[in-house]
Amino acid sequence: MSEKVVLTGIKPTGMPHLGNYVGALKPLIEQSKTQKTFMFIADLHALNTIHDAAQIKQHTYEIAALMVALGLDLNNAILFRQSDISEIYHLNTLLTNVTPKGLMNRAHSYKAAMDKNIAIGADVDAGINMGLYTYPILMTADILLYNSDIVPVGADQKQHVEFARDIAGYFNKIYGDTFKMPEPIIGTETGLIPGLDGRKMSKSYDNIIPLFAPEKDLKKKIMRIITDSKLPEDKKDPDESTIYQLYKHFATDAEIAEFAEMFRRGGMGYGTAKTILFEKINSVLAEPRAKYEYLMSNTAEIEAILADGAKRAGAVARETLGRVKKAMLG
Ligand code: TRP
């Protein structure tokens, strides 16, 4: 096993979609078989947008159940809830003192929120809470608390990991070598998964297929994939088809080659192609979906997994915070 520590957080804001699965979750789960992985549900990061405890709790269970159902290796991976580790609040507070305000001003997410206000003629900071403004400090605390080497994130989070490096650097310069420099790893495939309309699968385009939709809903969604108007007998280019693009991520190499050939040969209508796609995705997801549903109706089991994760993560967190306090406070 590699000595490198992989860490990532997932915000509990709702059911991930197939694009998240293929681009981010599946590779993370693969990685968890060979690398020491910290995987947490970033409930504190959801607080700046979700002001409803029941909803955060429910979404937290969903993400935890989903990761376990998909086969996260709990021997190598420590799965925990961010807010369960009290050291995170301490480190967050301590790091504010070495974080330049100007760095926060440059955060893409904060700037985007300000731009929206400017566009509608509102006060620049209207509706922006400090949770949003200091979001990158909390994320830095996550990354540094667990001595992370590698942080796999989506492209939208790259700047945050760079901020973590900046802040670690400022800290080390003042107090001596205390933190490792984390490396962001940007999911390359995420952008390539098409949604129902052929554009990138994204909540903001309303074109997603939820990962664990009930079978009936999964089928309905897949049947709604937009296609061109070619007739069944027409020859088709698989690379131009959303159906084939999705199929590729769930089938074996031999199945993929055969499906591509069926497109090229002509004689397969889009209805048939969608049915083949549905059956493939459904067969891959049926077992994890059943496990997910089981866990969601037995949340005490999820709590037990998270409690075990908190114990293991807490031990690392205590050690790091001890070092930081000693460096800053003597
Ligand atoms: N901000 C990340 C997101 O919105 C979630 C997150 C929180 C995270 N803390 C993290 C990701 C630490 C990686 C490392 O997706």
Side-chain angles (χ1 to χ4, degrees):
M1 186 180 315
S2 154
E3 292 303 304
K4 299 244 173 194
V5 174
V6 179
L7 169 134
T8 202
I10 302 177
K11 233 180 351 178
T13 50
M15 169 63 73
H17 55 67
L18 288 189
N20 302 136
Y21 169 65
V22 171
L25 305 178
K26 200 170 152 199
L28 276 171
I29 284 162
E30 274 313 303
Q31 205 163 33
S32 76
K33 294 177 181 151
T34 56
Q35 286 198 270
K36 174 146 188 159
T37 304
F38 287 87
M39 159 81 61
F40 62 93
I41 298 123
D43 56 348
L44 297 173
H45 275 112
L47 282 176
N48 75 75
T49 52
I50 305 182
H51 292 162
D52 175 345
Q55 207 186 328
I56 291 194
K57 191 166 185 181
Q58 175 70 12
H59 288 328
T60 296
Y61 285 151
E62 285 167 5
I63 302 291
L66 187 135
M67 294 310 289
V68 173
L70 289 172
L72 186 73
D73 184 341
L74 292 173
N75 289 317
N76 291 331
I78 301 180
L79 179 67
F80 63 104
R81 174 165 35 204
Q82 183 187 27
S83 65
D84 280 345
I85 309 298
S86 60
E87 285 76 9
I88 193 67
Y89 310 91
H90 297 223
L91 186 58
N92 182 63
T93 299
L94 294 172
L95 291 178
T96 58
N97 302 291
V98 296
T99 304
K101 175 170 176 284
L103 194 67
M104 298 300 99
N105 291 342
R106 290 204 295 278
H108 297 322
S109 46
Y110 171 57
K111 287 208 316 208
M114 280 199 303
D115 287 346
K116 252 193 206 161
N117 283 332
I118 293 166
I120 59 169
D123 181 82
V124 282
D125 280 327
I128 298 177
N129 57 43
M130 288 301 286
L132 171 68
Y133 187 63
T134 61
Y135 188 106
I137 306 179
L138 179 59
M139 187 155 155
T140 297
D142 290 327
I143 292 169
L144 301 182
L145 190 56
Y146 303 102
N147 308 314
S148 319
D149 294 296
I150 296 171
V151 185
V153 284
D156 63 324
Q157 298 295 314
K158 183 165 179 251
Q159 189 197 35
H160 289 149
V161 183
E162 286 163 358
F163 281 5
R165 292 170 61 90
D166 291 339
I167 295 169
Y170 298 136
F171 189 101
N172 287 349
K173 197 156 168 237
I174 302 169
Y175 294 108
D177 224 359
T178 307
F179 293 123
K180 284 201 234 177
M181 282 292 153
E183 294 282 345
I185 301 268
I186 309 304
T188 47
E189 292 198 294
T190 326
L192 303 178
I193 316 302
L196 299 176
D197 57 0
R199 291 187 290 173
K200 171 185 162 178
M201 190 178 287
S202 162
K203 257 192 195 158
S204 47
Y205 293 150
D206 197 19
N207 65 357
I208 65 154
I209 303 175
L211 180 53
F212 286 148
E215 187 170 320
K216 257 193 6 236
D217 298 354
L218 177 66
K219 183 159 196 178
K220 248 201 241 157
K221 286 271 184 197
I222 288 175
M223 290 303 165
R224 234 183 268 152
I225 291 172
I226 294 172
T227 60
D228 58 28
S229 52
K230 287 206 174 75
L231 299 170
E233 57 269 30
D234 292 339
K235 297 184 168 151
K236 303 171 184 72
D237 180 356
D239 293 320
E240 280 179 12
S241 166
T242 300
I243 302 169
Y244 175 74
Q245 295 303 326
L246 285 168
Y247 187 82
K248 275 204 313 200
H249 294 288
F250 292 88
T252 63
D253 289 348
E255 289 167 336
I256 296 166
E258 191 189 333
F259 200 45
E261 186 47 34
M262 288 160 80
F263 274 82
R264 290 197 196 97
R265 201 188 302 137
M268 174 176 66
Y270 286 125
T272 307
K274 287 177 183 176
T275 303
I276 293 172
L277 173 65
F278 161 71
E279 276 164 9
K280 176 72 344 192
I281 295 184
N282 195 48
S283 75
V284 171
L285 294 181
E287 204 183 302
R289 181 172 54 215
K291 176 132 201 226
Y292 171 81
E293 281 163 5
Y294 166 81
L295 286 167
M296 287 307 287
S297 42
N298 293 275
T299 51
E301 288 193 26
I302 304 176
E303 287 289 3
I305 292 168
L306 293 176
D308 178 60
K311 223 163 85 192
R312 293 154 72 199
V316 178
R318 269 192 301 283
E319 192 277 326
T320 306
L321 184 68
R323 272 191 290 123
V324 175
K325 282 179 79 173
K326 192 152 184 358
M328 292 183 93
L329 298 161

